[in-house]
């Protein structure tokens, strides 16, 4: 399966507000693209912590990683600084990339959300102020330079846990 050609032609904003073609994010190396719900989300903070735990493994095996949120560039910058994000951070305030990548938009709270909050709190993540679209759900998509989707997992709702560490093991193992 390949990304929607329209997705490759969209743009995201870097933290300085400059438009960056989406296709350049994965043009050189396979790239794990981490879509966060919004820049204050406790579950997204947990996902970024997990990403930090596998970034060396990804890089050592020829993969890159980027994070895309949907708030303003200033929100992205604050999120990046607070969490000490070491991968490129982008934002898509119009959520075009989210839609074309198949990410969902819904309230996302379920009866199990309290359990998910407790899991995130135990990991050290904390809720911040809503910084972006509260209804947007995230996910993780790994794309090869030719646009092939190597893996895609879409959050069904807030707190949907994607094991980024296991995902990194799987995609790196598949490439070996």
């Amino acid at each position: 399966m390949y990304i929607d050609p329209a997705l490759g032609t969209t743009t995201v904003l870097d933290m300085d507000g400059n438009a960056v073609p989406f296709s350049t994010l994965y043009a050189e190396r396979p790239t794990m693209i981490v879509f966060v719900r919004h820049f204050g989300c406790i579950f997204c903070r947990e996902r970024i912590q997990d990403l930090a735990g596998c970034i060396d493994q990804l890089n050592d095996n020829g993969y890159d990683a980027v994070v895309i949120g949907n708030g303003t560039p200033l929100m992205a910058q604050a999120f990046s600084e607070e969490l000490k994000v070491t991968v490129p951070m982008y934002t898509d305030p119009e959520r075009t990339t989210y839609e074309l990548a198949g990410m969902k938009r819904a309230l996302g709270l379920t009866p199990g959300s309290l359990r998910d909050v407790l899991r995130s709190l135990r990991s050290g993540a904390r809720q911040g102020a809503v910084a972006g679209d509260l209804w947007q759900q995230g996910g993780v998509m790994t794309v090869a330079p030719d646009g092939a989707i190597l893996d895609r997992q879409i959050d069904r709702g807030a707190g949907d846990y994607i094991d980024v560490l296991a995902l990194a093991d799987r995609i790196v193992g598949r490439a070996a």
Side-chain angles (χ1 to χ4, degrees), residues 15-60:
M15 290 189 291
D16 293 322
N18 300 309
V20 176
F22 185 81
S23 61
T24 64
L25 303 182
Y26 54 87
E28 299 295 321
R29 297 175 5 145
T31 302
M32 180 184 284
I33 302 168
V34 177
F35 289 91
V36 296
R37 292 183 62 234
H38 63 80
F39 292 122
C41 171
I42 187 173
F43 309 118
C44 302
R45 291 164 184 254
E46 179 183 30
R47 187 165 292 165
I48 296 303
Q49 288 172 200
D50 288 351
L51 177 62
C54 67
I55 196 64
D56 288 339
Q57 175 190 16
L58 289 170
N59 291 158
D60 290 349

Side-chain angles (χ1 to χ4, degrees), residues 37 42-51 108 110 112 115-117 119-120 123 125 137-140 153-167 170:
R37 292 183 62 234
I42 187 173
F43 309 118
C44 302
R45 291 164 184 254
E46 179 183 30
R47 187 165 292 165
I48 296 303
Q49 288 172 200
D50 288 351
L51 177 62
T110 67
R115 177 193 67 236
D116 297 331
V117 167
R119 180 201 67 236
S120 295
S123 79
Q137 304 305 308
V140 179
Q153 297 184 37
I154 299 169
D155 291 344
R156 294 177 306 276
D160 196 10
Y161 184 72
I162 296 175
D163 189 339
V164 175
L165 301 170
L167 176 58
R170 189 169 64 244

Side-chain angles (χ1 to χ4, degrees), residues 82-163:
E82 179 182 350
L83 298 181
K84 298 175 180 45
V85 176
T86 60
V87 301
M89 172 86 61
Y90 301 95
T91 188
D92 176 14
E94 303 299 320
R95 298 178 320 279
T96 306
T97 58
Y98 282 83
E99 181 179 339
L100 292 171
M103 301 301 141
K104 305 297 180 201
R105 189 168 184 274
L107 175 59
L109 295 176
T110 67
S113 293
L114 179 57
R115 177 193 67 236
D116 297 331
V117 167
L118 293 174
R119 180 201 67 236
S120 295
L121 287 170
R122 280 192 298 274
S123 79
R126 298 294 179 261
Q127 178 67 35
V130 174
D133 182 357
L134 179 64
W135 293 74
Q136 181 62 58
Q137 304 305 308
V140 179
M141 181 168 67
T142 304
V143 182
D146 66 357
I149 298 173
L150 305 176
D151 195 282
R152 178 170 56 188
Q153 297 184 37
I154 299 169
D155 291 344
R156 294 177 306 276
D160 196 10
Y161 184 72
I162 296 175
D163 189 339

Side-chain angles (χ1 to χ4, degrees), residues 64-85:
D64 285 331
V66 300
V67 175
I68 299 177
N70 62 62
T72 67
L74 287 176
M75 291 173 180
Q77 196 171 50
F79 183 80
S80 179
E81 289 171 4
E82 179 182 350
L83 298 181
K84 298 175 180 45
V85 176

